[in-house]
Amino acid sequence: MRYRLLPALVASSALRASAAPSASSDSAETYDYIVVGSGPGGGPLAAELARAGYSTLLIEAGGDEGDNPTYAEIPWFNEAANDELTRWDFWVKHSDDPEQDLKFAHTTWDTGDGTFYVGLDPPEHAKLLGIQYPRAAVLGGCAMHNAGVCSMPADDDWNIIVNKTGDTSWDAKNMRKYLMQIERNEYLPPGAPGHGYDGWLATSIQDSSWARNDSLPDPDEAADLVNRDLLELDDKADETSSFYSMVTHADARGMRASPNNYIRATLADPAGYPLTVKLHTLATRVLFDPATVGVDGVVPRAIGVEVMEGPSLYKADPKHVKGTKGPLKQFHAKREVIVSGGAFNSPQLLKLSGIGPRDELAKFNITLVKHLPGVGENLGDNYEGSILAMGSAPVETGLITLLFRTPNAPNKKRNIYTWCGAFSFEGFWPGFPTYHGPTQYSCAMVHLAPKSQAGSVRLVSADPQDKPEINFRFFEHGGKEDLAELVSAANILREAINAAGEPVAPLVEKHPCPGGKDEKCTDEAQAEFFKLQAYSHHATSTCAIGGDDDEMAVLDSKFRVRGVAGLRVVDASAFPVVPGAFPSCPTMMLSVKAAEDIIAEAKKQE
Ligand SMILES: Cc1cc2nc3c(=O)[nH]c(=O)nc-3n(C[C@H](O)[C@H](O)[C@H](O)COP(=O)(O)OP(=O)(O)OC[C@H]3O[C@@H](n4cnc5c(N)ncnc54)[C@H](O)[C@@H]3O)c2cc1C
Ligand SMILES: *[C@@H]1O[C@H](CO)[C@@H](O)[C@H](O)[C@H]1NC(C)=O
Ligand SMILES: *[C@@H]1O[C@H](CO)[C@@H](O)[C@H](O)[C@H]1NC(C)=O
Ligand SMILES: *[C@@H]1O[C@H](CO)[C@@H](O)[C@H](O)[C@H]1NC(C)=O
């Protein structure tokens, strides 16, 4: 490549001197910033950049369902996540062992007649799809179909970024200010420490009036317990086991709050902020200044994005019609391109653009722009499982939320987030969840701080309409310990469930111990159950922030793609470790932090 060095350098400095980012850009629309993806990562960021006066293009593959009650009203979250209007189906693997994955009770198959088969005994000739992992392609991303649960990472999940990069702005104490910036608290009187009241993200809690019911043994105590603020500012929170009130990103009337609200408010603002949103537009690759690619000693520079225009172009979209393509178009960014496609699509888009592991890109003849072996690796997720039992009568209490530490946890920190109530939650498949009847009762468990992040997102082709191959490799490292923690939690919760009084008792367990815990349902048997049946839906960490000396680091502490100019990744893929129990609020905090960092950098250059 050395022979190209001199002309390339001359060309690139000439380009930098002119206003247009590349010679062929005359006809392309140009913005200061281009953000790909409008979820918790990209949505708030794009709005903030525009509010700071920078012309910003927000590219979103889906449409806008902000007025659709299925999305706007939080109680319909299961319907929303099943809705073909916005659903992107990824079919994932949980391990490298196909035989093991086939034991996942909700493995899904394509029958060939336009229907799915879900289960362990597929009809002949059915084609294996895998384990469904829903994502939402819509303005606001997965925050438009999720359950809206809002919780904070453990302090150490932020602090580890300080340790890795030396950037103290990631200190948990500092990160709290971003919650205060975005929150519009609707459940605490004004002035609660660590909370915000003027932001765009409404937070509220469940109606817990049931706990004040005089028929309960000690109604005041019950109500106080379930009313504890899950987002309370408390240095000792991570070491506290307690009941809490579940907080959701929704207002007190149950209307969903998400980046969708903020984007729409930004567009509608009379101030006329320079935000342009292109819906039904699939980003296919990041464009680079050709004079900076493949040249020794020159840092490749991102200058724009190529897109394919039209709805349902991505093959994860169940409405995609085979062979459909849209016109290609290019947009240019004067300042930067920011990739916020989520933990599956951000690494895919980087790889399609030539940024990723050298060998993987070579396999698909993708021109290498920057060898970064960490792109698409380090995929992590919270392990989830549930204890499900059938009562003798319907259970009428509301949700009970509990964060606790199992006795076998590796440190002093709580390791289980659970909520119990008259519902069932057993993972994801087309048509989830199963209704087991009016007496169903579950404790759903989210395990915190998984010891393994050995999952990956890898290309199957260079076609941007294809889905990547996703394998979580659950329990690859420290699996025995994490499974033992889940089993310990189930044993504790089972005791609590079985302490219920009449008329609900006795309850008959469906899983993990069918019929109840007996000599057959040992801890080993339960561990085997969770090993095969654990599920997840909080994927993160596939473009992780890391230190200068870390070969697998994809981003620096300011979200900059390492070794590339003008390109950042801002979404759940940036977290080096799984952020607590639920990533949605942490990702929105990360998004407005990124906006602050990017705007500060831009102001310095002006
Ligand atoms: C069913 C379900 C329930 C959940 N429940 C909760 C919960 O209760 N609480 C919680 O905290 N978390 C929950 N989560 C997880 C949480 O919603 C996600 O972690 C969060 O939305 C991640 O934000 P993100 O910005 O990284 O990605 P996403 O939310 O996935 O947003 C990415 C956006 O980018 C767009 N995009 C991707 N690729 C392209 C491309 N090439 N071109 C154009 N656009 C593109 C997508 O259409 C999407 O809108 C849930 C997730 C699911 C699936
Ligand atoms: C950060 O490093 C310090 C000093 O090595 C260590 O004590 C601490 O546990 C680390 N914190 C995290 C979150 O990794
Ligand atoms: C209190 O509990 C009783 C018995 O479960 C129930 O019938 C009644 O509706 C409850 N009242 C309220 C206000 O929830
Ligand atoms: C890559 O290019 C080579 C040489 O042109 C070709 O033989 C091969 O089929 C290509 N591979 C892919 C995956 O396109």
Side-chain angles (χ1 to χ4, degrees):
M1 292 289 178
R2 195 169 288 274
Y3 65 95
R4 285 176 51 197
L5 185 57
L6 197 59
L9 274 176
V10 171
S12 71
S13 53
L15 281 169
R16 282 203 203 93
S18 70
S22 102
S24 63
S25 72
D26 297 346
S27 60
E29 287 171 41
T30 300
Y31 298 85
D32 288 326
Y33 293 98
I34 299 176
V35 179
V36 177
S38 66
L45 167 63
E48 294 295 351
L49 293 173
R51 282 168 184 263
Y54 296 103
S55 68
T56 302
L57 173 64
L58 177 59
I59 296 170
E60 169 54 52
D64 180 5
E65 298 301 328
D67 293 326
N68 179 338
T70 304
Y71 298 85
E73 298 168 14
I74 207 114
W76 301 110
F77 64 89
N78 279 337
E79 286 74 9
N82 272 292
D83 191 359
E84 283 208 350
L85 205 52
T86 62
R87 207 176 76 218
W88 270 7
D89 290 330
F90 291 91
W91 305 105
V92 308
K93 297 175 182 171
H94 281 174
S95 76
D96 283 319
D97 176 1
E99 293 303 313
Q100 179 186 315
D101 277 12
L102 282 175
K103 294 180 184 149
F104 182 74
H106 295 99
T107 296
T108 301
W109 307 71
D110 178 356
T111 59
D113 66 3
T115 62
F116 294 115
Y117 169 83
V118 179
L120 300 173
D121 187 19
E124 227 181 306
H125 308 306
K127 190 173 147 265
L128 176 66
L129 292 169
I131 296 163
Q132 192 198 29
Y133 201 106
R135 302 266 89 189
V138 68
L139 191 69
C142 296
M144 287 302 280
H145 78 169
N146 71 12
V149 178
C150 183
S151 80
M152 291 298 102
D155 284 352
D156 281 350
D157 300 344
W158 296 124
N159 294 339
I160 195 168
I161 304 179
V162 181
N163 274 23
K164 282 176 180 286
T165 66
D167 182 342
T168 53
S169 68
W170 285 96
D171 187 285
K173 286 199 171 59
N174 187 51
M175 291 308 294
R176 184 73 182 204
K177 76 176 186 222
Y178 300 109
L179 174 69
M180 297 172 73
Q181 178 185 327
I182 65 178
E183 187 185 22
R184 193 179 78 232
N185 188 294
E186 298 197 359
Y187 66 93
L188 290 170
H195 281 287
Y197 294 81
D198 307 317
W200 46 269
L201 190 77
T203 57
S204 58
I205 54 175
Q206 308 269 324
D207 174 17
S208 58
S209 55
W210 60 270
R212 291 246 174 246
N213 194 321
D214 291 336
S215 69
L216 290 169
D218 189 346
D220 284 342
E221 193 189 39
D224 287 348
L225 277 178
V226 300
N227 278 334
R228 184 164 181 174
D229 176 20
L230 202 139
L231 305 182
E232 71 186 344
L233 187 63
D234 175 6
D235 282 350
K236 289 263 165 292
D238 298 332
E239 297 175 10
T240 304
S241 290
S242 174
F243 292 94
Y244 292 92
S245 180
M246 182 183 273
V247 178
T248 53
H249 46 85
D251 72 14
R253 294 173 306 137
M255 301 300 285
R256 183 184 289 280
S258 83
N260 181 287
N261 309 52
Y262 195 40
I263 295 162
R264 287 163 64 121
T266 304
L267 290 171
D269 198 289
Y273 298 123
L275 177 64
T276 305
V277 179
K278 302 255 185 216
L279 300 172
H280 299 302
T281 303
L282 181 73
T284 53
R285 65 189 169 107
V286 176
L287 302 168
F288 294 90
D289 177 348
T292 64
V293 173
V295 187
D296 278 353
V298 176
V299 175
R301 174 160 204 95
I303 55 163
V305 172
E306 179 188 78
V307 303
M308 197 185 276
E309 292 182 313
S312 302
L313 291 168
Y314 196 54
K315 290 181 193 166
D317 187 326
K319 305 183 298 311
H320 176 75
V321 177
K322 210 174 159 183
T324 307
K325 293 191 177 300
L328 293 177
K329 199 171 167 181
Q330 299 194 346
F331 297 107
H332 283 118
K334 267 188 280 192
R335 290 185 170 276
E336 292 184 16
V337 173
I338 298 138
V339 174
S340 305
F344 299 156
N345 291 93
S346 285
Q348 182 186 16
L349 190 58
L350 289 188
K351 287 179 183 184
L352 292 171
S353 312
I355 299 170
R358 180 187 288 119
D359 293 347
E360 185 181 344
L361 303 193
K363 214 158 74 185
F364 302 108
N365 291 342
I366 297 171
T367 305
L368 186 71
V369 172
K370 174 72 193 170
H371 170 61
L372 275 183
V375 178
E377 301 300 307
N378 194 46
L379 171 63
D381 212 330
N382 300 109
Y383 300 123
E384 295 182 72
S386 73
I387 174 162
L388 171 67
M390 307 303 291
S392 299
V395 182
E396 277 163 0
T397 56
L399 283 186
I400 297 175
T401 302
L402 171 62
L403 271 133
F404 67 104
R405 177 189 179 278
T406 60
N408 57 2
N411 49 43
K412 287 185 182 161
K413 285 186 278 182
R414 56 196 185 185
N415 56 344
I416 299 287
Y417 182 123
T418 188
W419 64 107
C420 304
F423 64 90
S424 91
F425 181 33
E426 301 165 278
F428 297 94
W429 61 89
F432 82 96
T434 301
Y435 177 60
H436 294 275
T439 68
Q440 64 183 4
Y441 194 79
S442 284
C443 289
M445 303 185 286
V446 176
H447 176 268
L448 282 73
K451 292 168 194 63
S452 185
Q453 289 190 200
S456 61
V457 176
R458 295 188 184 142
L459 295 180
V460 300
S461 80
D463 180 351
Q465 293 179 273
D466 273 345
K467 293 172 283 186
E469 185 202 56
I470 298 160
N471 187 335
F472 280 90
R473 293 189 192 82
F474 275 1
F475 306 113
E476 189 96 341
H477 308 298
K480 250 178 92 167
E481 290 77 11
D482 281 345
L483 284 166
E485 291 169 36
L486 280 164
V487 170
S488 172
N491 288 340
I492 290 167
L493 293 169
R494 176 178 301 110
E495 258 187 65
I497 290 176
N498 287 333
E502 287 186 350
V504 172
L507 290 105
V508 179
E509 187 170 331
K510 272 194 182 294
H511 59 65
C513 286
K517 189 151 164 43
D518 55 19
E519 63 283 355
K520 277 212 312 264
C521 194
T522 56
D523 284 358
E524 290 71 40
Q526 293 186 76
E528 184 66 10
F529 173 85
F530 287 123
K531 183 175 163 195
L532 299 177
Q533 306 303 338
Y535 48 90
S536 73
H537 64 308
H538 300 156
T540 63
S541 310
T542 49
C543 301
I545 295 173
D548 293 344
D549 53 353
D550 179 358
E551 197 209 12
M552 298 305 278
V554 176
L555 309 177
D556 70 11
S557 73
K558 302 293 183 204
F559 305 91
R560 291 179 283 231
V561 175
R562 286 186 170 275
V564 181
L567 185 63
R568 305 194 206 223
V569 177
V570 178
D571 61 19
S573 20
F575 292 104
V577 299
V578 172
F582 290 90
S584 187
C585 279
T587 306
M588 292 188 252
M589 292 161 69
L590 174 148
S591 177
V592 294
K593 179 187 199 306
E596 191 180 275
D597 291 344
I598 293 169
I599 291 164
E601 210 175 293
K603 293 259 185 280
K604 230 189 316 183
Q605 287 160 3
E606 276 160 16

